[in-house]
Amino acid sequence: MPRLKLKPTEAPPPPSSGVRASTFKLLLDTAMDMIQQDGHIPSIAEVAARAKVSRATAYRYFPSRSALITSVVDASLGPVRQLADDTLGGRERVHGVFKKTFPRFRQYEPQLRAAVQLALEQWALQRAGLLEEEPYRRGHRVNILAHALAPMKTELSPAVRDRLHKALSVLYGIESYAILRDMWNLGDRELEKTVMWMVDALIDASLREGKR
């Protein structure tokens, strides 16, 4: 399985019960609502103020925007991060992964765009030597797609499968969704049809190349 140079950020496990669990949920729900309404990532202090929780309390749960947005994305995409059905073939697994994710993109588009926004902002700050929080690392799609493509090991050479894996990772994310929405003004149905056409084109091209 391909390995990323930097491990994706993992969301902190939420408290299971009691006051801590309810406070965690309050802060997370507040942050998600603020992103939905305002379109930008709030500071921890802003979330605390909106939730009527002290800053000190909020920082105990979310010490940085990276920790906050990781939990936001986990709440948005958690169900689709489960691995595909092992009984299916490679193409069917890939189709299933994409089709299961589209509804989450529709429901949580502002939150997922905010995650990209934070990653880009932190990249610029890090290059300038100004980043003062741990960076938010993306990349969970790598393992999801690796599992989906596993049945194609007998059909594709490692090099071809690796290239297909990387190409699909470009499509499997809010980035392609945002391009087709913002630049082409596509509705949900046409957007999803376009992405799936590209998915099949990549798989077909890889299968033609096969083990060469």
Side-chain angles (χ1 to χ4, degrees):
M1 181 181 296
R3 293 185 178 181
L4 293 177
K5 185 180 296 186
L6 298 171
K7 185 179 179 181
T9 306
E10 297 287 349
S16 58
S17 61
V19 174
R20 285 181 56 79
S22 60
T23 303
F24 180 94
K25 185 177 186 303
L26 171 63
L27 290 166
L28 179 57
D29 289 347
T30 300
M32 293 189 73
D33 288 343
M34 291 176 74
I35 295 171
Q36 182 76 34
Q37 295 167 10
D38 304 333
H40 76 277
I41 304 165
S43 67
I44 307 304
E46 289 172 328
V47 174
R50 183 77 65 92
K52 295 181 172 57
V53 171
S54 73
R55 289 190 184 188
T57 296
Y59 275 107
R60 281 200 296 271
Y61 291 91
F62 301 108
S64 66
R65 292 182 306 158
S66 296
L68 177 64
I69 205 68
T70 302
S71 292
V72 166
V73 172
D74 192 62
S76 303
L77 292 181
V80 305
R81 287 179 172 173
Q82 299 172 8
L83 299 180
D85 187 346
D86 284 338
T87 65
L88 299 177
R91 188 188 297 265
E92 290 75 21
R93 284 196 199 186
V94 172
H95 277 207
V97 163
F98 275 81
K99 290 179 179 178
K100 188 166 62 173
T101 305
F102 285 134
R104 309 295 292 190
F105 284 169
R106 290 197 297 271
Q107 184 175 0
Y108 297 106
E109 183 176 349
Q111 290 85 357
L112 298 172
R113 285 178 181 254
V116 177
Q117 174 191 338
L118 181 62
L120 293 174
E121 177 190 334
Q122 289 182 338
W123 177 85
L125 289 172
Q126 193 166 33
R127 281 176 60 87
L130 299 174
L131 184 61
E132 297 180 348
E133 59 186 344
E134 82 281 4
Y136 167 57
R137 305 291 188 193
R138 305 164 70 221
H140 289 281
R141 69 187 75 178
V142 172
N143 286 341
I144 294 171
L145 291 170
H147 182 267
L149 290 169
M152 293 187 173
K153 287 181 180 179
T154 59
E155 301 172 89
L156 304 176
S157 70
V160 172
R161 194 172 74 254
D162 183 63
R163 186 165 59 243
L164 174 60
H165 190 178
K166 290 182 172 71
L168 288 174
S169 73
V170 176
L171 294 180
Y172 184 61
I174 196 65
E175 300 88 350
S176 61
Y177 192 94
I179 288 168
L180 293 172
R181 180 80 82 205
D182 297 350
M183 296 184 186
W184 295 97
N185 196 31
L186 294 190
D188 292 331
R189 185 175 179 184
E190 188 61 28
L191 187 155
E192 292 169 17
K193 284 174 62 178
T194 301
V195 171
M196 295 310 300
W197 180 86
M198 290 189 283
V199 167
D200 278 327
L202 289 169
I203 293 174
D204 290 341
S206 298
L207 289 172
R208 284 195 298 271
E209 192 168 353
K211 295 187 177 183
R212 288 182 291 168

